[in-house]
């Protein structure tokens, strides 16, 4: 991948624009194999649900995905207040030897798992002041994403649709407004269901995609991880190439029209003038 094509977050460049989670796999071995197939450099870990050293004597996820090979992105999944999120990420920083790149996620309710944006903004303000590099999961509201950026977040992560729903991007117009205005990386987070959803996000111009359930709950997680890797790469290439303009009411022949039979006095079967034939 060309240097200019690498994903840059908080000044660090990554070869992959696909970020993956670690939940819902059968075991750590399946987690490792899927992550390797995805080609992801950044792997997010739910500190409240996964052992990365806080539970002595229990299997440690970092033995399967060592920080020497992957950038571990601790997240605050399961937190419903700014205080809980800040406390969780302070613990993560201790466990990861001062690691500062984190994913902030403050939820509004257990049914929709929509982000609680007032609490997210409050937590982001505190974390940035304490030196964290904050990637913030958020609603697809262009104004709120700008506010996160103004607070100092290093990336904004609007949802495509509800977490774990697999519904894909339900509001591409809001996402496009966010992309047009943002000066920090925009990564779609939540709702991706299959490879075409990821490709669409990248074709819109997103800087990356984060997902977990779509891979972990596939019948073959390792194969789906590989499919997502290819989809993100294809979508990025298509975005950079620039799609053709849509022409909803007018066909355009792919081949030159000179020398066709019509020019020698024979009309196409369904051309104007053949009505009733």
């Amino acid at each position: 991948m060309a240097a200019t094509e690498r994903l840059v977050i908080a000044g660090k460049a990554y070869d992959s624009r696909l970020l993956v989670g670690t939940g819902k796999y059968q075991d750590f071995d399946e987690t490792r194999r899927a992550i390797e197939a995805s080609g992801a450099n950044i792997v997010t870990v739910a500190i409240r649900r996964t052992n990365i050293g806080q539970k002595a004597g229990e299997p440690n996820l970092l033995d399967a995905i060592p920080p020497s090979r992957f950038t571990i992105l601790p997240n605050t999944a399961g937190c419903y207040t700014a205080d809980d999120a800040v406390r969780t990420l302070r613990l993560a920083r201790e466990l990861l030897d001062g690691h500062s790149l984190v994913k902030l996620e403050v939820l509004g309710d257990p049914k929709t798992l929509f982000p609680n944006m007032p609490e997210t903004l409050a937590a982001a303000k505190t974390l940035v002041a304490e030196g964290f590099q904050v990637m913030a999961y958020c609603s697809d509201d262009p104004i709120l994403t700008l506010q996160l950026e103004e607070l100092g977040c290093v990336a904004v992560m609007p949802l495509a649709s509800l977490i774990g729903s697999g519904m894909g991007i339900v509001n591409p117009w809001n996402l496009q407004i966010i992309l047009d205005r943002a000066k920090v990386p925009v990564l779609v987070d939540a709702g991706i269901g299959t490879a075409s959803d990821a490709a669409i996000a990248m074709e819109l111009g997103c800087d990356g995609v984060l997902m977990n359930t779509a891979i972990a709950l596939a019948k073959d997680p390792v194969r789906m991880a590989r499919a997502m890797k290819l989809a993100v790469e294809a979508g990025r290439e298509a975005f950079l190439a620039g799609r053709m303009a849509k022409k909803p009411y007018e066909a355009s022949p792919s081949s030159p029209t000179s020398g066709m039979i019509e020019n020698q006095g024979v009309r196409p079967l369904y051309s104007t003038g053949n009505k009733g034939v």
Side-chain angles (χ1 to χ4, degrees), residues 108-127:
D109 71 75
K111 183 173 178 59
T112 66
L113 300 181
F114 257 115
N116 182 326
M117 289 309 300
E119 291 292 301
T120 300
L121 289 164
K125 184 176 181 179
T126 300
L127 292 166

Side-chain angles (χ1 to χ4, degrees), residues 182-197:
K183 295 182 177 61
V184 296
V186 177
L187 298 92
V188 159
D189 183 2
I192 297 297
T194 189
S196 56
D197 297 334

Side-chain angles (χ1 to χ4, degrees), residues 23-170:
K24 301 182 179 179
Y25 289 97
Q26 292 183 8
D27 51 41
F28 284 171
D29 181 62
E30 185 180 72
T31 306
R32 176 189 59 76
R33 290 186 292 113
I35 290 173
E36 288 181 346
S38 76
N41 302 141
I42 302 176
V43 180
T44 189
V45 176
I47 298 299
R48 292 164 66 98
R49 297 170 180 161
T50 306
N51 182 32
I52 61 169
Q54 68 270 41
K55 301 174 183 175
E58 295 187 12
N60 187 331
L61 177 65
L62 299 187
D63 291 334
I65 51 167
S68 58
R69 288 188 56 198
F70 301 97
T71 294
I72 305 300
L73 182 68
N75 71 61
T76 58
C79 292
Y80 287 84
T81 68
D83 287 344
D84 278 352
V86 169
R87 198 161 38 241
T88 299
L89 291 177
R90 286 171 179 161
L91 171 62
R93 183 157 62 179
E94 290 182 18
L95 293 169
L96 295 170
D97 299 325
H99 180 81
S100 60
L101 184 67
V102 297
K103 179 191 167 188
L104 172 63
E105 178 178 317
V106 185
L107 303 176
D109 71 75
K111 183 173 178 59
T112 66
L113 300 181
F114 257 115
N116 182 326
M117 289 309 300
E119 291 292 301
T120 300
L121 289 164
K125 184 176 181 179
T126 300
L127 292 166
V128 170
E130 294 185 6
F132 285 94
Q133 296 170 314
V134 180
M135 301 173 67
Y137 168 65
C138 56
S139 61
D140 60 350
D141 183 319
I143 303 304
L144 292 172
T145 54
L146 281 178
Q147 290 178 352
L148 288 168
E149 183 178 326
E150 290 168 359
L151 284 173
C153 292
V154 298
V156 292
M157 308 175 78
L159 54 80
S161 49
L162 298 184
I163 291 174
S165 69
M167 293 294 291
I169 300 172
V170 297

Side-chain angles (χ1 to χ4, degrees), residues 188-239:
V188 159
D189 183 2
I192 297 297
T194 189
S196 56
D197 297 334
I200 290 170
M202 298 306 296
E203 288 174 5
L204 287 172
C206 290
D207 296 281
V209 177
L210 189 151
M211 67 183 71
N212 181 76
T213 306
I215 296 175
L217 294 191
K219 291 181 180 177
D220 185 340
V222 175
R223 193 165 194 166
M224 182 59 83
R226 189 161 53 247
M228 292 299 187
K229 172 181 182 291
L230 296 173
V232 168
E233 292 175 353
R236 181 64 178 176
E237 285 293 302
F239 169 72

Side-chain angles (χ1 to χ4, degrees), residues 10-11 19 68 77 115 136 198 242 270:
L19 291 69
S68 58
Y270 298 107

